Amino acid sequence: MTNLLYSFTGLILFIFGFFALIVCAQPLRKILGCNVMATGIFLFLVATSYRADAAAIDPVPQAMVLTGIVVSVSVTAVALVLATSIRQASDPFIARRKKKAKGDARKKQ
Amino acid sequence: MISAESWIIVPVVAPLSGALLSFLIRRGSVIISMTAAALNGLAAIILVKQFLQAGPAVYAIGGWNPPLGITLHTDGPSLIMLAMTAVAAIAICLYAWGYFSLRIDEPVRIGRAERQESFFWPLWMLQLTALNGLFLSGDIFNLYVTLELLGISAAALAALSGKTSALIASLRYLLVSLLGSLSYLLGVVFIYKTYGVLDLVLLQKMAGMEPGVIAALAFMSVGLLLKTALFPMHFWLPPAHANALAPVSSILSGLVVKASFFLLFRLWFDIFSPVLPASAFSLMGFLGAGAVLWGAIQSLRQKRLKLLIAYSTVSQLGYLFIAFPLAFAGGTSQAWSTVLFMAAGHACAKIAMFMAAGNILLHIGHDRIKDLAGIRAHLPITSFAYAAAGVNLIGLPPSAGFVAKWMMLITALSTHQWLWALVLLAGSLLAAAYVFKVTSQLFVIPPDTTLIMRHRSAPLLEWPALILALISLLMGLMAPYPLRLLEIGVTPEVVMLLGGGP
């Protein structure tokens, strides 16, 4: 029974994450939405390894979850880097400050 | 040095070590990547030779057999994709070498091109690793890992040019491909929950009509369709492909979208085809028809050359999906041959086209179609490559596109599916329109204008494009050879069908 509870929680998390990914406009929220989706899948995956006999728990899903977490961390890192550089490139305030810093450097030379 | 059966790991290991080494040794990155691509080509030749002698091979990594271990395996379709990728990889390496060395010589923005180059080689090698891993892998979870690797390296490559528009397009690309692969992963979990295995060959024997499998197939298909950019889920493709650097556009448009399509096709036809209803195949066909028409119309409306080519990718991908309902009527083996011809021909042609567009952009500094008149005088080889690749997209004989469309048309007419035949013909007509829209500009030299070229034409930039375009153009003449690969390991009646058919 607990097994089913975990599975359904995982699926609900997946749907929440998906909702956030579609509805939210900010890149950071979208990235977090993806993370929540991934976590939901991992929870679902871990719940499949459950067996009534505690000694016979299936190790394969656990290996998959570990791999999945590594993949998810690296994708999140890439996405965050992209989001940061978009912000730096498109934000007029940051761009002006950068330009000014460049101009100052040139004056010193 | 390497035993006969372990050549199968070379297409994965060689580019991976190439990626790591070229990241560490910045100076030698060109030579390291070229060596890795050459080794990959050699491995592809040896694997094909072994396959012709001994048939399909299975290699259990580390000696662990399924269901616990992960296997690599070769069969006809995977080898054709592998060989096509190997040829394209060598051409792209040569082109990228020429591209970056020309850009680095440019006086403006010193340093930017060098930085781009130092990141390009490792990422491109990672991309090649992921592609080869995807073609060879026989384990659905391992396939998820290769899909993610493909997505990450593709998004990073698309962001290389550093312009804001490219960054925004590549973040969107990354999120879309992440959504696609997570959806695929959820499907994998459903399959594991139902059967307790991940190996493709084991799954093939077990596939049945359980509810878990239907859910799995739905999630996996939607995820992969999103990654393949099938209409109406193609919105992310044109900006990401058109704003990237020229070698990157070639890689993304020619190879990366084919990989997720290959996986989708394998799942549908090798594993679940007995389970699926005919209506599911028709749905794919309708989406494909939408893609063919919508992509071509959008392509005609574009004012920039690279966007035109990117929309033409959306259109050409549609043909691959029209093959679904036709294959359902015509048999799996014929489906594979049609689709592989279409995919391989389009890959070579599209890479050549993006290379040609990259040359034009590099030499005259813009890619506005209406100002392209007279390029032929300065870049004759590039213009010819563009036109030759265009012949393949339209599907004129003797190109690979012609053979594939001919096979589809014959099946459509012989099984009385008139609708698909009409879409195929209309798509070809529209393709002719958008190809000629550009070639008519390239080849007409107006008497009064003079174009100012920024660089002298470089052979490394022009010849790879021409050779790939000619391969796509002449592939139709060599049709029996790749098809022979598909005949190994299938029943004799299918061989008869292939031999007797067009």
Side-chain angles (χ1 to χ4, degrees), chain A residues 68-82:
Chain A
I69 289 173
V70 173
V71 170
S72 160
V73 166
S74 33
V75 177
T76 311
V78 175
L80 285 176
V81 167
L82 276 176

Side-chain angles (χ1 to χ4, degrees), chain B residues 326-367:
Chain B
L326 296 178
F328 186 68
T332 303
S333 174
Q334 197 185 347
W336 269 120
S337 54
T338 315
V339 160
L340 286 174
F341 250 91
M342 195 73 216
H346 175 251
C348 292
K350 197 44 64 80
I351 291 171
M353 269 191 159
F354 264 122
M355 283 175 174
N359 287 347
I360 291 170
L361 194 61
L362 206 57
H363 281 93
I364 63 173
H366 69 83
D367 63 345

Side-chain angles (χ1 to χ4, degrees), chain A residues 7 14 18 21 27 30 34 37-38 41-42 44-45 48 58 60-61 64 67 71 75 78-79 82 85-86 89, chain B residues 68 141 144-145 148 152 155 159 164 167-168 170-171 174-175 178-179 182-183 185-186 188-190 192-193 198 219:
Chain A
S7 301
F14 181 86
F18 181 67
L21 178 64
K30 281 182 187 288
C34 281
M37 277 171 81
I41 296 175
F42 298 150
F44 186 34
L45 193 51
T48 60
D58 190 0
V60 177
M64 291 203 282
T67 318
V71 170
V75 177
V78 175
L82 276 176
S85 42
I86 287 172
Chain B
L68 203 58
F141 184 75
Y144 160 72
V145 177
E148 282 286 26
I152 300 177
T164 315
L167 288 176
I168 291 171
S170 94
L171 179 64
L174 183 67
L175 289 175
L178 188 58
L179 176 61
L182 283 178
S183 175
L185 181 62
L186 192 60
V188 171
V189 181
F190 271 111
Y192 188 77
K193 208 171 160 64
L198 294 168
F219 278 117

Side-chain angles (χ1 to χ4, degrees), chain B residues 230-231 283-293 315 318-319 321-322 423:
Chain B
L230 178 63
F231 172 84
L283 176 68
M284 287 293 200
F286 279 116
L287 292 179
V292 167
L293 300 176
S315 166
Y319 287 113
F321 289 93
I322 293 184
V423 173

